[in-house]
Structures are given as structure tokens and as C-alpha cells.
């Protein structure tokens, strides 16, 4: 066996230098492959066994949705000129809801409402909207409840993050079939279902508008006519979605009629306290108003106590001994010639207000509600099932599907 040969000292020194250079290059490549922070700096994922989020700069600000003033055709050309981010879109991690039954029902209602009002009765679009809502919940820039995300900015006249919360769209009510489909999509998403199409998108808009923020975000996906975006840099990466669900869902009162019984008790109690503090003087002991074009036999012992000047909103003192269906007959008679109309009725005349407000405000005491909107092709009759027994629970006012309360 030949004896081993060793390099000369000069060759050994050169070899050491090359090894040091190669090691330095390897370390540089490793650092470059790690996620970059918002300013482009490499962000250390772990420090002492824990995520080192303590010194992370604040997340991007969530700005109100304001649009560039361009025509739809110009908007489409502008949007088409913006390229999609190169590479595959990373899917979001599954979101598995872990909250109380009441919070789950409220979250489901808020999530389904965002899906239906934003995307219509389109399952593909609804799944994309739902995914964006849950992506936002997990991102530090947004609220940590589902309803908080959906109704962020709704306290202002403008600036809603989801336009349906501010533009009057909630006056429409989905059909039972459409609402059931939206709820199913929401339930699946809260149980871990993921729409991989939109990845970790936190923003979207239709292709015929141009929001001011769209030029500063990465365009990552398209669903029909909607374009989906995420923030650039580290705040758009999957690792940035580390926010945790906080619980304590607060549902917008405009969704009461869509929510299941689990969501109602706390809200009705809170609504009672608010209404008791703010109700105007009662009109129940005042004289009955004339009900134009309504025959006496159709009134069935019920009386109009308050009405708006346009004759499209009525407050009734209801006869507690009358057949409950008579409330519906009287309401229909009052509204049959009107394209839009609301009738509220109370068995206890002390609760009839002198000035009518939104039905939800007096939901705790309201005995009967009729709503009609011919332009949207719908009308509904609902009774307070804590006061009036109804075999069909779908006819119960939200939160009143329990036992019958004694009448005083």
C-alpha cells in the first residue's frame, strides 16, 4: 500500500482559505433563504426556542376602501396590466374554530353574511370571500373575531372593509336555499376547510374598480371577476398569519333575523337594557288612528297607535285575545297597496312607542312583525313565540323560539 502524501504548508494554507470562503458563501445563501421582515431585513424565526416576534415592527395599516375615479373599462385595462406574483400561491393553514356555542353561531352568521352579500349565490366566490375573512382574522393587522373582521369600519359612514356593511345591501334577505348554502360554506371553513385558490390573500376587489391600495400589494389570484391580493414582503408571507382567535363575538343587530337560537339570548338581553333606557314615551294609551282603506272587520280588534307620515310604517296595539293570524290579516290590509311597508305590533300596549324605530330595537317586547319589499320580491310575517305559540318555528322572531311566557 502506498504511503499517504500530504500537501505542502503553502497548499494547505490555500485550502484553508478556500474552505473559509465556501463556508461564508453557504451561510450567506442560508440567510438569504430565510423570510425577510417588512423592511427587507431577515427575520429570525426562533430565539431561545420561541418565535422572536417581540421586536417585530407594527403590521401595515388597514386603510379605508377608496377608489380611483376611472371608468370600468379603464379599470379593467389598469388591472390587467398588473402582473400576478410569480410562483405558486401558498395555501392558508386550516382554521379550526374553538369557541362557545353562542360564539360559533354568531361567527357562522357573520361569515355566511359576508359570503352571500359580497359574492351573491355563487359557491366559488363565497368560498373565496370566507377564506379572506379567516386570513384577516389570523393576521395581526385585523380584529381577532369573525364578526369583528366582517364589520370592521361599519361604525363609520364610509370606510367599511366589506362594502355590504355600509351600502344598504343588508336590507335584502337571502332566500332559504341561498342562505343555507352560504351557511354550509361558513361551517366548513370554521371546521378547517381551506380554499387554496386565494392563498393568504387579505384584500380583493372586482376588476372594474381600482382601489388606491391595489398598487402597493401583490396580485396573487383571480376568481371570476375578482382579483385577490396580499401585502408585500414579510407581512404577506404565511408565517405572518400567527394571530389567534379571541372569542367574544358581537353580531351586528341587522343579522338577528338570520341567526340561529344559540346566538340570540345575550343579544336580546342586551337589547332590552338598551331599549329600556332609550324608548320614547308609550303611545299605547292614546287614541287609535284611522286605518285608511281597511275595513273594520279586517282590524279584528287591533288598533293603529302610531304611523309615519308616509303611511309605510305602523305601530299596532294588538288584541291579546284575538286569533294570532288576525295580526297578519290586519298588517296585510294596511300594506297591500304599498311597495314597501313595515308593521310592528305589541300585545302589551305599554310597549307601543310614540315614535317608531327599527324593529330590532324593540325585539325584546315586540309581539308581531310584518315586512314587505315588493322591489326585492319578498314579505315576511313573524310572531314572538315567547308570547304566541306557533307550530312553524320559522315564523318566530329571532330569539323567541322558547317557552310561552305568561301574559299579565
Amino acid at each position: 500500500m502506498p504511503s499517504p502524501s500530504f500537501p505542502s504548508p503553502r497548499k494547505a494554507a490555500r485550502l484553508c482559505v478556500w474552505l473559509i470562503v465556501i463556508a461564508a458563501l453557504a451561510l450567506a445563501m442560508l440567510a438569504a433563504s430565510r423570510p425577510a421582515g417588512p423592511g427587507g431585513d431577515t427575520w429570525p424565526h426562533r430565539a431561545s426556542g420561541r418565535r422572536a416576534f417581540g421586536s417585530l415592527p407594527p403590521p401595515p395599516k388597514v386603510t379605508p376602501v377608496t377608489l380611483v375615479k376611472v371608468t370600468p373599462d379603464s379599470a379593467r385595462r389598469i388591472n390587467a396590466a398588473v402582473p400576478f406574483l410569480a410562483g405558486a400561491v401558498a395555501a392558508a393553514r386550516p382554521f379550526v374554530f374553538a369557541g362557545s356555542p353562542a360564539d360559533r353561531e354568531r361567527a357562522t352568521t357573520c361569515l355566511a353574511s359576508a359570503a352571500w352579500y359580497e359574492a351573491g349565490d355563487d359557491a366559488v366566490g363565497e368560498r373565496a370571500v370566507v377564506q379572506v375573512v379567516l386570513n384577516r382574522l389570523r393576521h395581526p393587522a385585523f380584529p381577532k373575531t369573525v364578526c369583528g373582521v366582517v364589520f370592521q369600519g361599519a361604525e363609520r359612514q364610509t370606510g367599511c372593509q366589506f362594502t355590504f356593511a355600509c351600502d344598504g345591501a343588508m336590507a335584502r334577505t337571502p332566500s332559504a336555499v341561498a342562505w343555507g348554502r352560504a351557511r354550509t360554506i361558513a361551517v366548513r371553513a370554521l371546521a378547517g376547510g381551506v380554499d387554496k385558490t386565494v392563498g393568504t390573500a387579505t384584500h380583493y376587489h372586482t376588476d372594474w374598480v381600482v382601489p388606491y391600495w391595489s398598487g402597493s400589494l401583490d396580485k396573487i389570484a383571480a376568481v371570476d371577476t375578482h382579483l385577490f391580493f396580499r401585502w408585500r414582503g414579510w407581512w404577506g408571507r404565511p408565517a405572518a398569519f400567527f394571530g389567534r382567535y379571541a372569542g367574544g363575538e358581537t353580531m351586528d343587530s341587522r343579522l338577528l333575523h338570520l341567526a340561529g337560537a344559540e346566538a340570540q339570548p345575550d343579544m336580546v338581553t342586551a337589547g332590552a337594557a338598551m331599549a329600556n333606557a332609550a324608548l320614547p314615551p308609550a303611545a299605547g294609551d292614546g287614541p287609535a288612528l284611522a286605518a285608511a282603506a281597511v275595513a273594520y272587520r279586517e282590524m279584528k280588534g287591533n288598533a293603529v297607535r302610531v304611523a309615519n307620515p308616509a303611511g309605510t310604517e305602523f305601530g299596532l296595539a294588538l288584541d291579546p285575545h284575538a286569533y294570532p293570524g288576525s295580526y297578519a290579516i290586519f298588517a296585510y290590509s294596511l300594506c297591500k297597496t304599498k311597495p314597501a311597508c313595515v308593521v310592528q305590533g305589541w300585545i302589551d300596549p305599554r310597549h307601543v312607542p310614540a315614535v317608531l324605530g327599527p324593529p330590532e330595537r324593540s325585539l325584546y317586547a315586540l309581539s308581531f312583525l310584518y315586512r314587505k319589499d315588493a322591489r326585492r320580491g319578498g314579505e315576511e310575517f313573524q310572531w314572538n313565540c315567547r308570547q304566541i305559540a306557533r307550530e312553524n318555528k320559522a315564523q318566530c322572531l329571532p330569539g323567541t323560539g322558547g317557552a310561552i311566557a305568561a301574559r299579565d
Side-chain angles (χ1 to χ4, degrees):
M1 170 181 281
S3 61
S5 60
F6 296 95
S8 66
R10 181 175 295 179
K11 288 183 178 180
R14 289 177 180 171
L15 181 61
C16 288
V17 170
W18 278 111
L19 288 173
I20 292 171
V21 170
I22 292 171
L25 288 172
L27 288 172
M29 292 174 65
L30 177 62
S33 67
R34 293 163 72 180
D41 298 328
T42 300
W43 179 248
H45 266 235
R46 293 189 177 275
S48 304
R50 298 173 59 188
R51 287 190 179 273
F53 290 126
S55 59
L56 190 67
K61 290 184 178 181
V62 182
T63 58
V65 180
T66 52
L67 304 179
V68 179
K69 293 183 178 181
V70 294
T71 65
D73 288 340
S74 295
R76 290 188 178 95
R77 287 194 294 270
I78 293 170
N79 290 321
V82 178
F84 287 96
L85 185 69
V89 176
R93 291 179 292 110
F95 179 93
V96 180
F97 186 88
S100 68
D103 275 347
R104 179 182 291 276
E105 175 58 28
R106 293 168 190 161
T108 300
T109 302
C110 288
L111 199 55
S113 69
W116 188 80
Y117 285 109
E118 288 285 295
D121 192 16
D122 171 14
V124 175
E126 288 177 341
R127 285 194 292 269
V129 171
V130 163
Q131 188 62 58
V132 168
V133 172
L134 296 183
N135 287 348
R136 286 191 167 205
L137 188 153
R138 276 188 163 147
H139 199 283
F142 298 94
K144 291 292 155 281
T145 63
V146 174
C147 294
V149 169
V150 171
F151 289 97
Q152 185 178 16
E155 70 280 1
R156 303 188 296 265
Q157 288 186 338
T158 59
C160 285
Q161 291 298 304
F162 294 90
T163 54
F164 81 91
C166 284
D167 66 2
M170 293 174 68
R172 295 181 292 119
T173 299
S175 69
V177 173
W179 181 245
R181 185 177 294 113
R183 276 189 62 92
T184 297
I185 290 170
V187 167
R188 288 175 179 171
L190 292 174
V194 174
D195 180 12
K196 298 179 180 179
T197 307
V198 299
T200 55
T202 49
H203 297 70
Y204 65 84
H205 67 80
T206 56
D207 65 2
W208 61 80
V209 300
V210 181
Y212 278 100
W213 49 252
S214 64
S216 62
L217 277 63
D218 286 331
K219 187 168 74 170
I220 61 173
V223 176
D224 195 15
T225 61
H226 285 75
L227 305 173
F228 291 79
F229 300 78
R230 72 180 190 191
W231 273 305
R232 289 175 180 161
W234 192 83
W235 282 115
R237 293 175 179 267
F241 293 76
F242 57 81
R244 293 189 176 185
Y245 176 72
E249 298 280 358
T250 301
M251 193 173 69
D252 191 292
S253 64
R254 290 171 292 178
L255 297 180
L256 274 170
H257 64 294
L258 294 173
E262 297 90 343
Q264 303 291 343
D266 294 344
M267 295 189 65
V268 173
T269 301
M274 180 185 73
N276 276 328
L279 275 177
D285 296 328
L289 303 179
V294 178
Y296 179 78
R297 66 179 181 274
E298 294 175 325
M299 296 173 67
K300 307 294 183 182
N302 307 302
V304 176
R305 294 295 185 187
V306 58
N308 69 343
T312 57
E313 296 181 15
F314 301 90
L316 310 183
L318 302 173
D319 181 352
H321 305 295
Y323 168 59
S326 71
Y327 308 155
I329 294 172
F330 188 25
Y332 177 79
S333 300
L334 287 168
C335 297
K336 61 184 176 182
T337 62
K338 301 174 176 66
C341 191
V342 177
V343 178
Q344 303 177 58
W346 292 264
I347 286 175
D348 187 338
R350 295 171 299 177
H351 288 121
V352 181
V355 179
L356 289 171
E360 290 80 4
R361 191 172 166 215
S362 300
L363 188 64
Y364 75 106
L366 195 62
S367 304
F368 170 77
L369 175 63
Y370 169 74
R371 295 193 237 211
K372 175 185 179 183
D373 190 339
R375 291 175 301 175
R376 296 185 171 91
E379 60 180 349
E380 59 181 347
F381 301 86
Q382 292 180 300
W383 287 259
N384 185 327
C385 292
R386 294 188 185 277
Q387 302 174 9
I388 304 161
R390 304 299 295 177
E391 292 185 5
N392 183 356
K393 296 305 180 184
Q395 296 177 343
C396 295
L397 283 165
T400 69
I404 305 302
R407 295 180 182 177
D408 53 14

